């Protein structure tokens, strides 16, 4: 059974860069039918898409964050990573990595979630 | 960006009752690329429905999804205490991917 595990610092200072890694186990990140995404959920709020990556390295970002976001993939380690620069308190959230899998019409819905990792932005 | 508006914000019902949750999109969701997720406290969301009406593996048939275009519904036919959660709709027809604001289901 495929599992995702987020890792990274739980506390980041304002103006610094948030870095998280998602390790994929029980399956390969190089699956042609899947995308790998980051989402976040601020305390008491809803879910926001940050961006997606394909195993080939193609990336897609939320326009609201694109100037600060970089998502990368390391197929040799079966991992993908998130970097979010110039963070502020508004970036405090629970960060989830997810797998999006392909349906019969070649669109991709989320079918597997990591447990999430809390990141607080504070000095 | 496709904005998803969920209603009601909170639904308070008794065990055995039927819950009807609404998700309205600001523009048409092509080919019904809409999914529903359930999030219990301190847990990650779990997939319930994809393609507007297809149940995910392991989801009981008490859960059903319907709708097309801009109006979608999640129905829980006979509420059980374990259904207490926040339910989100999610569109994957276009980037940026977006979630609705959620409907909280409370069991009396």
């Amino acid at each position: 059974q495929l599992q995702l595990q987020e890792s990274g610092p739980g506390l980041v200072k304002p103006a610094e860069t948030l870095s998280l890694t998602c390790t994929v186990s029980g399956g390969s990140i190089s699956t042609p039918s899947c995308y790998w995404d980051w989402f976040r959920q601020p305390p008491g709020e809803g879910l926001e898409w940050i961006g997606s990556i394909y195993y080939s390295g193609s990336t897609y970002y939320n326009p609201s964050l694109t100037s600060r976001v970089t998502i990368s993939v390391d197929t040799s380690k079966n991992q993908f990573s998130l970097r979010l620069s110039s963070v502020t308190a508004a970036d405090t959230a629970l960060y989830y990595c997810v797998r999006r899998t392909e349906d019969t019409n070649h669109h991709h819905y989320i079918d597997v979630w990591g447990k999430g990792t809390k990141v607080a932005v504070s000095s | 960006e496709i904005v998803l508006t969920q209603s009601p914000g909170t639904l308070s019902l008794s065990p055995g009752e039927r819950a009807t949750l609404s998700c309205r999109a600001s523009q048409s969701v092509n080919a019904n690329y809409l999914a529903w997720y359930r999030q219990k406290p301190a847990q990650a969301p779990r997939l319930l429905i994809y393609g507007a009406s297809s149940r995910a593996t392991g989801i009981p048939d008490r859960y059903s999804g319907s709708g097309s275009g801009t109006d979608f519904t999640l129905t829980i036919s006979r509420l059980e205490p374990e259904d207490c959660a926040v339910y989100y709709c999610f569109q994957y027809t276009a980037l940026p991917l977006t979630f609705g604001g959620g409907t909280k289901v409370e069991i009396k």
Side-chain angles (χ1 to χ4, degrees), chain A residues 50-112:
Chain A
I50 299 171
S52 300
I53 193 163
Y54 195 58
Y55 76 96
S56 63
S58 298
T59 53
Y60 308 86
Y61 299 139
N62 192 321
S64 67
L65 296 168
T66 190
S67 62
R68 299 194 292 130
V69 172
T70 303
I71 297 177
S72 58
V73 64
D74 187 334
T75 55
S76 67
K77 294 182 178 178
N78 229 28
Q79 294 177 334
F80 62 107
S81 299
L82 167 70
R83 288 173 58 86
L84 182 65
S85 64
S86 306
V87 297
T88 69
D91 296 309
T92 293
L94 185 58
Y95 285 76
Y96 291 103
C97 60
V98 309
R99 181 182 80 171
R100 285 195 295 129
T101 198
E102 190 177 56
D103 66 14
T104 54
N105 293 307
H106 310 296
H107 275 58
H108 298 78
Y109 58 91
I110 307 166
D111 67 331
V112 181

Side-chain angles (χ1 to χ4, degrees), chain B residues 37-69:
Chain B
Y37 296 84
R38 178 182 69 199
Q39 186 175 34
K40 295 184 179 182
Q43 293 186 20
R46 181 180 178 180
L47 175 67
L48 301 172
I49 301 286
Y50 63 95
S53 60
S54 297
R55 258 188 311 276
T57 303
I59 300 303
D61 60 8
R62 302 186 292 108
Y63 287 85
S64 62
S66 63
S68 63

Side-chain angles (χ1 to χ4, degrees), chain B residues 21-87:
Chain B
L21 287 67
S22 173
C23 176
R24 178 161 290 177
S26 60
Q27 54 189 281
S28 183
V29 177
N30 291 339
N32 299 335
Y33 296 132
L34 186 117
W36 290 92
Y37 296 84
R38 178 182 69 199
Q39 186 175 34
K40 295 184 179 182
Q43 293 186 20
R46 181 180 178 180
L47 175 67
L48 301 172
I49 301 286
Y50 63 95
S53 60
S54 297
R55 258 188 311 276
T57 303
I59 300 303
D61 60 8
R62 302 186 292 108
Y63 287 85
S64 62
S66 63
S68 63
T70 60
D71 289 293
F72 298 87
T73 300
L74 175 71
T75 302
I76 311 172
S77 60
R78 298 172 303 280
L79 276 172
E80 297 184 2
E82 67 179 27
D83 298 325
C84 182
V86 178
Y87 293 79

